């Protein structure tokens, strides 16, 4: 019976199936997908409209679909907070330098490990992979960093933890599957050394993996606060996330406020600023993302391939 | 040459010829030695009465004193229980990205599919600090979105962020919200590798769409799913520090104090280095043993294993 119901569409050559159970499944699926999208998007949308709304309207639950009592006070308040801009500057620096270091260190190691004629390849891979499952832990790592006089320096934010084994594995798999071995043979005959071959032949062919890892590493730096929390003392070195933590979570803005009407206004502004600070902190990284999005599936797919 | 592989002359020749590859590996190897392996050596302070003045080697041995101290402390069972509750609870949500991937794979409308994927990845790029800040704003019973929703239906909102009983649920489901789209990419990639002729054959045999999901898609995802599951179980006691620490407050502390936050407080906030290192080591060893066990079990009952 089923065979009769399977209809081959003559125009496209595609096999189509017109069972009613399939229709039901389709409808259920799309209803579910739309509900899922609403749950995902609405909180983000709410933050955006709330950041432009009168804070008391937000607090009274009057803001649902559109901003109410449009205002830019939250953003103006933000401009007055100097440490946010210091944090911004630091985060941009950490992200730029950290991503550059991370790409150089991980991509070159991954390429070397991808070469079948590398003597000691198995051992070297294990050398890295072991650190994924076993580590010294917080205190021994902290003591090591301190012994190297990296505590409370710019360098501690971009150098010590730039080796990311997972990224090395993904990139290694990429090189193995998409850089043909014959290319190296040919280059070798022409008298090209490994380093020149890597820079002039391999890297130009590897834009996809560079984009994927670059994004992963950059997002990691942009969003990290743990290392700053542990290894930084000087507020002038604080990255944005640490300052956000003070504003959003530990609520350190309200210090030094009196009582009375002025304090009320200050408190309302502080609440409003929490919405705008979320927007200002998140938008840059979201702007980066459409440009590299097409590489996501590719990157993950590469990483999923087993050796 | 009969034992070509072990001819020392050839091996050294090959190393010399490929010296460039070792140059590429050098930065990653040095950084890993200094910041991953050196701290592993530092783990021995867990067995010593470490004092910064006499250093790691100079400090006197303490045997298992600090381990016993931890086992006998009242925090022992509480932190382990909290850690386990959160991670086992997270394990329950493991199939959700798989379901999402199956759904995306069924979507025929290409535009909608792309939009759906783009939106579902987005929350992944929000930093942990902003995420927790977002939760605090939205979940506020007096001024937040959840509060407003309850008021709309005439109820009184629960204090989601300040409740010990709800801590694990809030933690786990907010994590699902943030990462489900991203986590599904790997399964979507696996599904895109399915041979289309399998579906065509199934259609000819009269399979409905549900049958295809059940008998083609799900079995195709099993190897990937099991590999990821092994890794998850191996990290059962490894619930991350970042988000839990940010979500902690006096009201939920009884169920939010986990091993990693405890290690941080004992070690860095109250400077009991050896005690903290001992707790950390205990945690790492259990994780390591779990990983090996789960891998062995999986090897025995299915064809999947990490090594």
């Amino acid at each position: 019976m089923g065979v009769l119901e399977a209809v081959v569409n003559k125009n496209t050559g595609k096999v189509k199936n017109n069972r009613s159970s399939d229709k039901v499944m389709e409808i259920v699926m799309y209803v579910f997908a739309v509900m899922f999208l609403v749950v995902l998007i609405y909180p983000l949308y709410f933050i955006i409209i709330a950041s432009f709304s009168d804070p008391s309207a937000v607090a009274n639950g009057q803001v649902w679909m559109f901003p109410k009592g449009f205002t830019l006070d939250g953003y103006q308040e933000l401009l007055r907070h100097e440490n946010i801009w210091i944090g911004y500057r630091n985060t941009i620096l950490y992200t730029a330098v950290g991503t550059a270091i991370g790409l150089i260190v991980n991509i070159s190691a991954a390429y070397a490990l991808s070469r079948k004629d590398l003597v000691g390849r198995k051992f070297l891979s294990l050398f890295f992979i072991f650190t994924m499952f076993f580590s010294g832990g917080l205190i021994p790592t902290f003591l090591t960093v301190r012994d190297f006089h990296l505590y409370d320096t710019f360098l501690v934010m971009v150098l010590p933890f730039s080796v990311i084994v997972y990224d090395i594995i993904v990139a290694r798999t990429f090189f193995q599957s998409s850089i043909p071995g014959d290319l190296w043979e040919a280059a070798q005959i022409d008298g090209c050394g490994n380093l020149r071959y890597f820079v002039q032949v391999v890297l130009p062919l590897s834009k996809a993996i560079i984009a994927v890892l670059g994004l992963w590493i950059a997002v990691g730096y942009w969003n990290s606060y743990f290392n700053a929390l542990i290894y930084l003392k000087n507020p002038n070195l604080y990255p944005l996330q640490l300052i956000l933590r003070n504003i959003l979570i530990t609520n350190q803005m309200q210090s030094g406020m009196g009582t009375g009407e002025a304090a009320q206004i200050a408190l309302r502004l502080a609440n409003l600023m929490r919405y705008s600070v979320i927007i200002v902190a998140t938008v840059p990284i979201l702007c980066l993302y459409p440009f590299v999005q097409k590489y996501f599936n590719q990157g993950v797919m590469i990483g999923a391939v087993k050796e | 040459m009969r034992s070509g592989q072990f001819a020392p002359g050839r091996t050294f020749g090959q190393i010399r010829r490929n010296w460039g590859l070792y140059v590429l590996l050098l930065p990653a190897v040095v950084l890993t030695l200094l910041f991953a392996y050196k701290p592993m050596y530092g783990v021995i302070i867990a067995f010593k009465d470490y004092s910064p003045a006499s250093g790691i080697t100079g400090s006197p041995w303490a045997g298992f004193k600090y381990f016993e101290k931890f086992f006998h402390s009242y925090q022992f069972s509480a932190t382990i229980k909290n850690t386990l509750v959160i991670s086992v609870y997270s394990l329950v949500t493991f199939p959700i990205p798989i379901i999402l991937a199956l759904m995306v794979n069924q979507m025929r409308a290409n535009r909608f599919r792309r939009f759906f994927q783009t939106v579902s990845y987005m929350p992944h790029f929000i930093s942990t600090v902003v995420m927790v800040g977002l939760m605090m704003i939205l979940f506020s019973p007096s001024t937040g979105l959840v509060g407003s929703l309850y008021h709309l239906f005439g109820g009184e909102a629960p204090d989601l962020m300040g409740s010990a009983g709800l801590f694990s649920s809030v933690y786990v489901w907010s994590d699902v919200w943030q990462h489900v789209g991203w986590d599904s990419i790997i399964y979507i990639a696996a599904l895109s590798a399915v041979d289309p002729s399998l579906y065509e054959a199934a259609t000819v045999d009269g399979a409905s769409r549900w049958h295809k999901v059940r008998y083609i898609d799900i079995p195709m995802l099993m190897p990937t799913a099991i590999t990821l599951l092994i890794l998850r179980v191996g990290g059962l006691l490894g619930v991350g520090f970042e988000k839990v620490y940010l979500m902690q407050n006096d009201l939920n502390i009884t169920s939010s104090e986990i091993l990693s936050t405890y290690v941080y407080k004992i070690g860095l906030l109250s400077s009991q280095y050896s005690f903290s290192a001992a707790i950390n080591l205990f945690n790492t060893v259990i994780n390591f043993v779990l990983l090996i066990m789960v891998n062995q079990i999986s090897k025995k009952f299915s064809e999947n294993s990490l090594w």
Side-chain angles (χ1 to χ4, degrees):
Chain A
M1 182 177 171
V3 182
L4 296 175
E5 279 170 334
V7 181
V8 178
N9 184 322
K10 287 191 186 84
N11 295 323
T12 61
K14 269 191 181 166
V15 181
K16 261 199 168 171
N17 202 323
N18 289 326
R19 285 191 182 207
S20 58
S21 72
D22 287 358
K23 278 258 139 47
V24 173
M25 188 174 142
E26 182 124 317
I27 291 165
V28 170
M29 191 187 76
Y30 279 111
V31 168
F32 202 78
V34 169
M35 271 162 51
F36 179 78
L37 279 182
V38 170
V39 172
L40 223 52
I41 298 176
Y42 186 71
L44 301 175
Y45 176 73
F46 177 79
I47 295 288
I48 297 174
I49 55 173
S51 77
F52 291 111
S53 299
D54 176 10
S56 44
V58 178
N60 294 334
Q62 291 167 347
V63 175
W64 293 105
M65 285 314 293
F66 303 102
K68 197 147 199 176
F70 185 87
T71 169
L72 289 171
D73 289 355
Y75 292 92
Q76 252 164 22
E77 180 72 10
L78 208 62
L79 284 171
R80 275 203 291 274
H81 275 258
E82 208 182 315
N83 49 2
I84 289 182
W85 305 108
I86 295 173
Y88 232 112
R89 185 202 64 199
N90 291 336
T91 291
I92 291 171
L93 280 175
Y94 294 144
T95 305
V97 178
T99 307
I101 294 179
L103 277 176
I104 293 169
V105 168
N106 293 306
I107 295 259
S108 32
Y111 173 68
L113 289 175
S114 78
R115 279 275 293 272
K116 294 224 157 57
D117 54 346
L118 178 83
V119 176
R121 185 165 173 255
K122 265 238 160 81
F123 167 77
L124 285 163
S125 294
L126 208 67
F127 169 82
F128 289 114
I129 290 171
F130 183 68
T131 63
M132 283 175 95
F133 302 108
F134 203 88
S135 75
L138 182 68
I139 295 302
T141 310
F142 177 80
L143 294 176
T144 306
V145 167
R146 218 185 43 182
D147 288 349
F148 286 126
H149 302 289
L150 289 170
Y151 181 74
D152 209 21
T153 60
F154 178 89
L155 220 53
V156 78
M157 296 300 291
V158 292
L159 187 68
F161 311 105
S162 54
V163 177
I164 304 167
V165 180
Y166 182 80
D167 292 5
I168 293 183
I169 296 174
V170 171
R172 185 189 66 178
T173 317
F174 172 87
F175 290 128
Q176 274 166 357
S177 57
S178 41
I179 308 285
D182 305 349
L183 224 52
W184 166 238
E185 314 267 310
Q188 222 177 355
I189 292 165
D190 291 343
C192 177
N194 272 307
L195 294 179
R196 203 156 70 96
Y197 173 73
F198 175 65
V199 174
Q200 294 188 347
V201 180
V202 176
L203 287 185
L205 289 173
S206 311
K207 290 195 187 97
I209 196 68
I210 295 173
V212 171
L213 290 202
L215 178 80
W216 286 353
I217 298 172
V219 171
Y221 276 113
W222 187 274
N223 285 343
S224 80
Y225 86 98
F226 182 70
N227 282 342
L229 179 73
I230 288 171
Y231 297 115
L232 292 183
K233 196 175 56 188
N234 178 358
N236 282 323
L237 287 174
Y238 280 1
L240 185 62
Q241 299 298 330
L242 210 56
I243 291 164
L244 289 183
R245 168 175 169 260
N246 297 343
I247 293 173
L248 284 171
I249 292 160
T250 43
N251 249 330
Q252 284 179 7
M253 288 178 308
Q254 277 125 323
S255 58
M257 274 178 202
T259 45
E261 205 168 323
Q264 280 298 315
I265 293 170
L267 188 69
R268 272 178 39 196
L269 271 178
N271 271 331
L272 186 58
M273 198 177 93
R274 292 167 83 192
Y275 294 105
S276 31
V277 86
I278 287 180
I279 311 262
V280 171
T282 313
V283 162
I285 207 75
L286 288 181
C287 285
L288 194 66
Y289 144 95
F291 296 104
V292 252
Q293 199 203 354
K294 60 177 172 177
Y295 294 121
F296 285 166
N297 290 334
Q298 205 181 341
V300 175
M301 198 148 27
I302 297 160
V305 178
K306 274 197 179 175
E307 198 181 349
Chain B
M1 209 190 270
R2 279 177 65 199
S3 57
Q5 255 190 319
F6 296 105
R10 263 182 67 176
T11 308
F12 282 119
Q14 206 167 26
I15 292 178
R16 204 171 327 135
R17 231 188 354 267
N18 277 335
W19 63 270
L21 295 182
Y22 296 93
V23 173
L24 291 177
L25 270 168
L26 195 67
V29 169
V30 170
L31 286 170
T32 306
L33 277 176
L34 293 184
F35 297 104
Y37 282 95
K38 192 169 180 288
M40 281 184 211
Y41 162 76
V43 161
I44 59 170
I45 67 166
F47 304 97
K48 288 193 161 196
D49 275 319
Y50 177 77
S51 81
S54 28
I56 295 176
T57 25
S59 298
W61 290 98
F64 285 91
K65 183 171 112 187
Y66 289 107
F67 291 89
E68 277 165 29
K69 186 175 168 191
F70 178 49
F71 297 150
H72 292 138
S73 76
Y74 74 100
Q75 286 285 15
F76 176 70
S77 53
T79 49
I80 296 219
K81 188 188 140 220
N82 292 340
T83 312
L84 274 176
V85 164
I86 293 173
S87 51
V88 172
Y89 197 158
S90 312
L91 222 51
V92 173
T93 66
F94 183 79
I96 298 177
I98 302 181
I99 295 169
L100 197 72
L102 291 170
M103 246 170 71
V104 170
N105 195 50
Q106 287 295 316
M107 288 177 189
R108 288 220 203 89
N110 238 321
R111 268 239 197 93
F112 181 78
R113 183 185 159 135
R114 214 168 317 140
F115 176 71
F116 185 87
Q117 276 189 279
T118 306
V119 172
S120 69
Y121 298 168
M122 237 173 345
H124 176 80
F125 291 91
I126 298 174
S127 76
T128 316
V129 174
V130 169
M131 181 66 196
V132 176
L134 206 75
M135 287 158 66
M136 289 175 73
I137 292 175
L138 297 177
F139 292 162
S140 156
S142 53
T143 59
L145 190 62
V146 170
S148 303
L149 268 176
Y150 270 85
H151 283 302
L152 207 63
F153 297 106
E156 208 46 56
D159 184 5
L160 291 172
M161 299 301 285
S163 147
L166 292 170
F167 182 83
S168 52
S169 294
V170 174
Y171 177 88
V172 167
W173 290 104
S174 60
D175 239 37
V176 170
W177 182 85
Q178 194 178 1
H179 300 297
V180 66
W182 187 258
D183 291 346
S184 71
I185 298 181
I186 192 162
Y187 299 109
I188 294 171
L191 282 173
S192 69
V194 177
D195 184 357
S197 64
L198 277 178
Y199 295 119
E200 280 157 31
T203 311
V204 173
D205 287 343
S208 70
R209 286 177 82 173
W210 170 244
H211 284 139
K212 283 180 226 167
V213 171
R214 174 76 188 75
Y215 296 106
I216 301 174
D217 292 349
I218 293 180
M220 288 303 282
L221 289 181
M222 282 323 266
T224 312
I226 290 175
T227 307
L228 292 178
L229 194 62
I230 295 173
L231 284 173
R232 278 284 279 277
V233 175
L236 212 52
L237 283 184
V239 181
F241 167 89
E242 299 211 353
K243 195 171 158 198
V244 174
Y245 184 66
L246 290 169
M247 284 175 66
Q248 266 178 5
N249 54 44
D250 294 343
L251 296 169
N252 63 28
I253 195 73
T254 49
S255 51
S256 66
E257 191 77 291
I258 59 171
L259 280 165
S260 59
T261 54
Y262 191 54
V263 165
Y264 170 74
K265 286 173 190 167
I266 292 288
L268 287 184
L269 298 187
S270 60
S271 296
Q272 303 182 53
Y273 291 158
S274 288
F275 188 29
S276 173
I279 303 168
N280 209 159
L281 181 60
F282 167 78
N283 190 349
T284 310
V285 169
I286 301 243
N287 277 339
F288 205 60
V289 171
L290 270 173
L291 182 73
I292 291 169
M293 262 168 45
V294 179
N295 194 54
Q296 277 333 94
I297 294 170
S298 168
K299 224 180 204 170
K300 204 165 177 185
F301 292 103
S302 74
E303 253 125 59
N304 302 287
S305 69
L306 289 178
W307 58 82

